[in-house]
Amino acid sequence: EELRLKLENVRTLIGTADERKERYKTILELVAEEIDRNKEGLRIHLKTKGVKHVNTAGAYYNLGIALSRTCRPAETREAVVMLIKAGKIVRRVSAEEDPNVLKYAQALEKAHAAVARFDVAGVLSAMPGWWPPTSQKDDEADMAALFVALQARHDNSDSLTMTSEEMQQGLRTNGLFNFTASSSDSVDVAAFV
């Protein structure tokens, strides 16, 4: 038997720019829904269980985690406040060996680290709700690794450069469509990063 495919039925693994924008919009909507749901859950627990109940600590923790996932400075700072409240309650009502004590402390430490990254000059959230903030050093290391991957893709690992066309083709394969080769000049890792 023979298998025939119509070109219009074959989808690429990497969506178009509009598809990616739509997917990103959907992710932001889901993040907002999760925050709203956790705020409502916290409100209910505060009203029914009170401020010092272990379930209220869980509600503070859930809201703090949801806020920290936004990768936005204001929400991440609010997440720290929620996680501090959750940690205080769980330490007050739980035994020291309770795994929640460690889990809440680790979440708070991670949120503090995210806030510290926002406090570094020049660090912005690349895509709120999707990518966490990175420093320029992290970005440069990622770009250098991408350059090496592009070289390996074109069997140029011996050379320290590649042509603009090879770079354009490799970047498009990785979903970066905004790059256009301006010339056929070679590009080295310093110019790429």
Side-chain angles (χ1 to χ4, degrees):
E1 286 186 40
E2 191 175 308
L3 177 66
R4 293 184 184 198
L5 295 175
K6 291 182 180 178
L7 189 58
E8 61 266 13
N9 292 336
V10 178
R11 291 192 50 160
T12 60
L13 293 176
I14 300 169
T16 64
D18 290 335
E19 289 172 338
R20 288 187 313 230
K21 284 179 186 175
E22 190 61 35
R23 192 174 309 136
Y24 180 60
K25 182 180 171 189
T26 303
I27 287 172
L28 291 180
E29 289 170 358
L30 291 172
V31 166
E33 281 179 30
E34 182 183 8
I35 290 171
D36 291 343
R37 186 174 54 250
N38 284 304
K39 282 182 178 179
E40 182 63 16
L42 176 61
R43 187 190 67 74
I44 291 169
H45 277 91
L46 285 170
K47 192 170 190 169
T48 59
K49 304 288 184 182
V51 178
K52 297 180 182 180
H53 197 274
V54 70
N55 290 353
T56 304
Y60 275 120
Y61 173 81
N62 291 336
L63 179 57
I65 292 297
L67 288 167
S68 67
R69 286 184 186 145
T70 63
C71 301
R72 293 184 180 132
E75 285 86 347
T76 305
R77 285 180 176 81
E78 189 179 349
V80 168
V81 172
M82 296 298 129
L83 292 169
I84 287 172
K85 289 179 181 182
K88 284 181 181 178
I89 295 169
V90 82
R91 280 193 310 273
R92 190 177 311 138
V93 299
S94 300
E96 253 186 61
E97 55 275 347
D98 185 345
N100 282 335
V101 174
L102 179 61
K103 180 173 101 173
Y104 286 25
Q106 287 172 336
L108 178 59
E109 187 178 318
K110 196 173 181 181
H112 273 300
V115 168
R117 280 192 302 274
F118 280 121
D119 290 340
V120 173
V123 172
L124 301 173
S125 180
M127 292 184 81
W130 196 325
W131 289 330
T134 58
S135 67
Q136 183 176 350
K137 184 178 178 181
D138 295 336
D139 293 340
E140 288 173 357
D142 289 344
M143 292 300 287
L146 179 58
F147 185 82
V148 169
L150 291 174
Q151 279 184 315
R153 179 180 193 90
H154 293 285
D155 296 325
N156 285 350
S157 53
D158 309 348
S159 173
L160 297 176
T161 62
M162 74 174 72
T163 66
S164 297
E165 290 85 10
E166 288 173 338
M167 187 173 8
Q168 178 179 348
Q169 182 183 2
L171 290 173
R172 287 187 175 173
T173 303
N174 285 294
L176 302 170
F177 297 98
N178 294 338
F179 178 82
T180 54
S182 57
S183 68
S184 59
D185 294 341
S186 293
V187 178
D188 65 353
V189 69
F192 182 74
V193 171

